[in-house]
Structure formats: C-alpha cells, structure tokens
Amino acid sequence: QVQLVESGGGLVQAGGSLRLSCAASGRDFSVYAVGWFRQVPGKEREFVATISQSGGRTYYANSVKGRFTISRDNAKKTVYLQMNSLKPEDTAVYYCAAGQLTDYVIDTYDYWGQGTQVTVSS
C-alpha cells in the first residue's frame, strides 16, 4: 500500500498563498496519479486538481483554475498544491489521494491522507 501525509495547511488572509505537500511512502510512487480534494462540514468532498503519474497532464476544477497549481517530484515522493489568491470560499480540509487514473472522480482513488485544514479569513 501507499501511505500519504498532507502538510502545509493553516490560517491565511484572503489574497494570500499557501503550499500544501503530500508526502508518500510504501509502493512505487511514480505509478500513481495523485489528486487533491477538499471538504467543508455538511457538504460533499469535491475535486480540486489531479496530476498524472509522470506529471505530464494536469486537470483543475473551474473554481481554482488559474489560482492553484499541482506539481510532483517523484524522486522525493511528494506532490504539491500551490494555492495563490486564496478566497474565503477555499476554506476546507484538503486531502490528497493516489489512484490509477488521472481523474476528477473520487472513487478512482485508492489511498487517502488524513487531511490538512486551510482557513482563509476576510
């Protein structure tokens, strides 16, 4: 199996930036696509971004396109989510997940991290 640990969340003012990290261990990291998802209380978990195994293809939710950037460093077994121009609507728990397909569908992913809280004020 693959174990995933998110980090980098915190409190930031609107317009600010954060970089989330997803560190992996276990199986060969390069065989997995990785996605970022977010969830707020009372709402369904929603897709944010995903990246292919080699990093050659990326896809974003319309709500974050142009503001967020997903990237990966397979040598370090880490995927990043750079979040710029943050809005209060971005407040959520952010999760990374690994799976076989570069997709927006939640059930495509097999392994999930514990999540990290992002709070955007103002």
Side-chain angles (χ1 to χ4, degrees):
Q1 294 190 359
V2 174
Q3 295 79 45
L4 304 173
V5 179
E6 301 97 335
S7 63
L11 175 64
V12 64
Q13 290 187 332
S17 299
L18 286 172
R19 188 178 75 157
L20 306 184
S21 298
C22 175
S25 62
R27 302 282 296 277
D28 289 342
F29 182 63
S30 62
V31 306
Y32 295 102
V34 175
W36 285 96
F37 298 80
R38 65 188 183 187
Q39 187 170 28
V40 299
K43 298 187 69 176
E44 296 180 346
R45 191 169 298 184
E46 67 174 346
F47 167 76
V48 175
T50 186
I51 188 167
S52 60
Q53 292 90 332
S54 65
R57 292 181 293 115
T58 59
Y59 302 96
Y60 298 91
N62 288 335
S63 60
V64 307
K65 192 174 298 183
R67 300 187 297 120
F68 292 9
T69 302
I70 188 171
S71 62
R72 69 190 296 162
D73 185 339
N74 286 343
K76 295 183 177 181
K77 297 184 177 181
T78 303
V79 170
Y80 305 97
L81 185 68
Q82 178 67 46
M83 305 186 295
N84 298 327
S85 301
L86 283 162
K87 304 175 181 179
E89 307 95 274
D90 297 317
T91 296
V93 176
Y94 283 71
Y95 300 87
C96 68
Q100 300 301 312
L101 299 175
T102 311
D103 207 342
Y104 65 90
V105 179
I106 289 175
D107 62 12
T108 298
Y109 297 89
D110 302 307
Y111 308 102
W112 293 81
Q114 84 288 353
T116 185
Q117 176 71 46
V118 172
T119 302
V120 184
S121 64
S122 301

